[in-house]
Amino acid sequence: MKPFLRHQLERYAQRLEELDFLLSREDIMADMNQFLKLSREHADVSAVAKRYVRFQERLSDLEAAQAMLETSADDLDMKAMADEEIHSASEEMAELEAELQRMLLPKDPDDARPAYVEIRAGTGGDESALFAGDLLRMYTKFCERKGWRAEIMSESASELGGYKEVVVRIEGDKVFGTLRFESGGHRVQRVPATETQGRIHTSACTVAVLAEPDEAQAVTINPADLRIDTYRASGAGGQHINKTDSAVRITHIPTGIVAECQDDRSQHRNKAKAMQVLSARIQEKERSERAAKDAALRKGLIGSGDRSDRIRTYNFPQGRLTDHRINLTLYKLNFIMEGDLEEVTQALQQARQAEQMAELELSLPA
C-alpha cells in the first residue's frame, strides 16, 4: 500500500476516536442536529476504519506466513500451509486496498440523485433526429436493466419518427452517478434509411445529463426573473389539444435558460414539471462554471462540462463503439444499442476514480 494511503487511513482511525468522544458528550446529545451530523460522519469513518483494521490483520497474517515459510524449508506440510496462507492473505489484501481506495475518494452528493437526460439532434438533419430516437431507446432499455423508472418530460418529435429534442427524467439507485459521463457529443456513422446509394453518413446528437436538485438545496429562483408562456400543445391528444393552452414554456431571463412541458393535460402539472427541469438546468450551469474553473487548475479526464466535445462514436458498419475520452473500443454495438451499457459506464467511472486518486495523492503534503 502506498504511503499516502496509509497516512490517510491512519487519520481515519484518529478521527474515529474523536467522534466516539464527541458523541458521548451530553451537550452534543442534547443538540439533535449536531448529534445526527456527527452520527452520519461516524458511520462513514467507522466503515473505512474497520476495513483498514482488517487490512492490517491480513498484513500480520502474511508476515507470519512468510516467516513460517523461511523456517520450514524441510517440512513440506508446513511449507504448503504457509504458501496457501500467503496466497490467501495477498489476494484479500489486494481486494481490501482497492476497496479502501474507493472509500477514500471524494463523493459527490448528487451521485445518488435522480437525473434528467436531454437529447438533442445536431448536424445531420433527419438522420440526426432518428439517432436521437435511438439514443433515447438505448437509455430507456438500460433503465429497464437497472430497474430504474424513466418518464418523458418533454419532446419535440421529427417527421420521420425521431426527435429534435427530448427530455427524460430517470429515477433509481445512483442514477446521476452512473450516467453523468454521458454528457457530450455523440457521433453516429451509418447508412441512413433514406440513402439510396448505400453511402455512409455521419451525423451527431448532444446529450446532457443533469442531476435533479435536492429540494432542500435547490437554487433559489426569483419569480420576477421568470417569463411564463402558455400555448397549445402539439402532437397526439385528441380534441383537448386543440382547445386548451395547457403547454407551458418558462424562461429564466437572467440566463436565457428555457424549459417547457406539454405532456400533461393539466397546465399546473406541466408548469411544475417545467420548473423542475429549469431548476436542474440552472444548477447544471452553475456546476459547469465551477468545473470550468477547476479544469483550469488540473487536467480534466472526464466531465469537463464542455458538451461540444465529441465524446463517443457509434460506427454501425463496423459494429463498433468508441469512447474517445478513455480510448475504449467495443465491438458489440448492437448489444449496446439494446441497453447493454454497463461495461461503458463502469469503464468511465473507473477512469474517473483513477484520476481522483492521482489528484488525492498530489494534494497531500510530501
Side-chain angles (χ1 to χ4, degrees):
M1 181 178 286
K2 294 180 179 179
F4 88 93
L5 276 177
R6 285 186 183 277
H7 175 71
Q8 286 288 93
L9 291 166
E10 284 161 6
R11 287 173 57 186
Y12 272 76
Q14 295 168 4
R15 180 58 179 165
L16 186 59
E17 291 180 5
E18 294 172 2
L19 290 169
D20 285 335
F21 170 71
L22 289 171
L23 288 170
S24 68
R25 284 172 40 176
E26 291 186 7
D27 58 328
I28 296 292
M29 288 189 283
D31 184 343
M32 187 54 64
N33 288 334
Q34 183 77 347
F35 181 77
L36 289 174
K37 180 182 176 183
L38 290 173
S39 295
R40 285 191 291 267
E41 185 185 355
H42 186 278
D44 292 339
V45 171
S46 178
V48 176
K50 285 179 180 178
R51 301 312 286 157
Y52 185 47
V53 167
R54 178 60 179 169
F55 179 87
Q56 291 173 311
E57 290 172 351
R58 296 305 277 150
L59 177 60
S60 296
D61 294 341
L62 177 64
E63 291 170 346
Q66 288 171 335
M68 183 191 299
L69 188 64
E70 291 175 2
T71 58
S72 59
D74 298 330
D75 189 331
L76 296 181
D77 289 340
M78 291 291 286
K79 185 175 181 297
M81 188 184 302
D83 283 334
E84 184 178 345
E85 180 63 13
I86 288 171
H87 174 75
S88 172
S90 298
E91 197 172 69
E92 186 175 350
M93 284 172 64
E95 293 174 359
L96 285 166
E97 184 171 350
E99 182 182 356
L100 285 165
Q101 285 184 9
R102 288 193 298 271
M103 295 174 85
L104 287 178
L105 294 177
K107 296 176 179 63
D108 188 332
D110 284 339
D111 281 352
R113 304 287 307 159
Y116 296 100
V117 177
E118 304 180 351
I119 307 170
R120 293 184 179 84
T123 56
D126 290 336
E127 169 62 9
S128 176
L130 289 172
F131 182 51
D134 293 337
L135 289 177
L136 174 64
R137 184 174 184 275
M138 177 184 76
Y139 291 128
T140 303
K141 289 285 188 181
F142 183 56
C143 290
E144 291 175 3
R145 288 170 177 257
K146 301 286 284 185
W148 294 344
R149 178 174 175 268
E151 174 192 7
I152 291 180
M153 301 292 286
S154 67
E155 60 183 294
S156 176
S158 71
E159 295 178 0
L160 295 181
Y163 294 94
K164 298 173 185 174
E165 176 181 319
V166 60
V167 179
V168 57
R169 180 184 181 272
I170 302 175
E171 184 177 9
D173 182 41
K174 298 179 181 176
V175 172
F176 182 69
T178 303
L179 293 177
R180 63 186 304 166
F181 303 125
E182 292 301 299
S183 291
H186 294 241
R187 182 177 70 172
V188 61
Q189 296 171 327
R190 64 183 177 186
V191 179
T194 55
E195 170 59 52
T196 57
Q197 299 182 26
R199 293 173 299 186
I200 296 173
H201 288 224
T202 298
S203 56
C205 291
T206 59
V207 174
V209 182
L210 322 175
E212 181 177 80
D214 184 343
E215 290 185 3
Q217 300 175 349
V219 293
T220 302
I221 300 175
N222 186 346
D225 291 337
L226 300 177
R227 185 177 71 245
I228 301 175
D229 301 308
T230 58
Y231 58 98
R232 292 185 182 180
S234 59
Q239 293 180 347
H240 169 83
I241 289 292
N242 300 320
K243 294 182 178 178
T244 311
D245 290 347
S246 60
V248 176
R249 180 186 296 111
I250 304 176
T251 304
H252 185 242
I253 297 169
T255 61
I257 294 174
V258 179
E260 57 189 3
C261 186
Q262 63 175 30
D263 289 2
D264 204 293
R265 293 193 174 192
S266 163
Q267 184 184 110
H268 293 294
R269 285 193 290 269
N270 279 334
K271 181 181 177 182
K273 288 182 178 181
M275 279 297 295
Q276 288 178 336
V277 175
L278 183 73
S279 180
R281 287 177 177 169
I282 292 172
Q283 180 171 283
E284 176 61 18
K285 181 176 184 294
E286 294 179 355
R287 176 198 293 272
S288 297
E289 289 172 351
R290 289 195 303 270
K293 291 178 182 178
D294 292 342
L297 302 175
R298 62 173 176 81
K299 180 182 177 182
L301 172 66
I302 305 172
S304 66
D306 185 354
R307 295 179 194 145
S308 65
D309 287 347
R310 182 193 68 198
I311 64 164
R312 192 176 296 159
T313 295
Y314 303 72
N315 187 302
F316 278 81
Q318 296 178 13
R320 168 176 59 82
L321 176 140
T322 299
D323 195 290
H324 305 288
R325 295 164 294 180
I326 56 174
N327 296 320
L328 173 70
T329 297
L330 299 172
Y331 287 91
K332 49 184 281 187
L333 184 56
N334 288 339
F335 294 102
I336 290 170
M337 298 309 294
E338 289 296 318
D340 186 6
L341 266 177
E342 196 73 37
E343 189 172 354
V344 180
T345 57
Q346 285 185 355
L348 288 162
Q349 288 171 329
Q350 289 166 3
R352 176 57 178 154
Q353 287 171 0
E355 183 192 42
Q356 287 179 307
M357 185 58 61
E359 291 172 0
L360 181 61
E361 187 170 4
L362 288 172
S363 69
L364 294 174

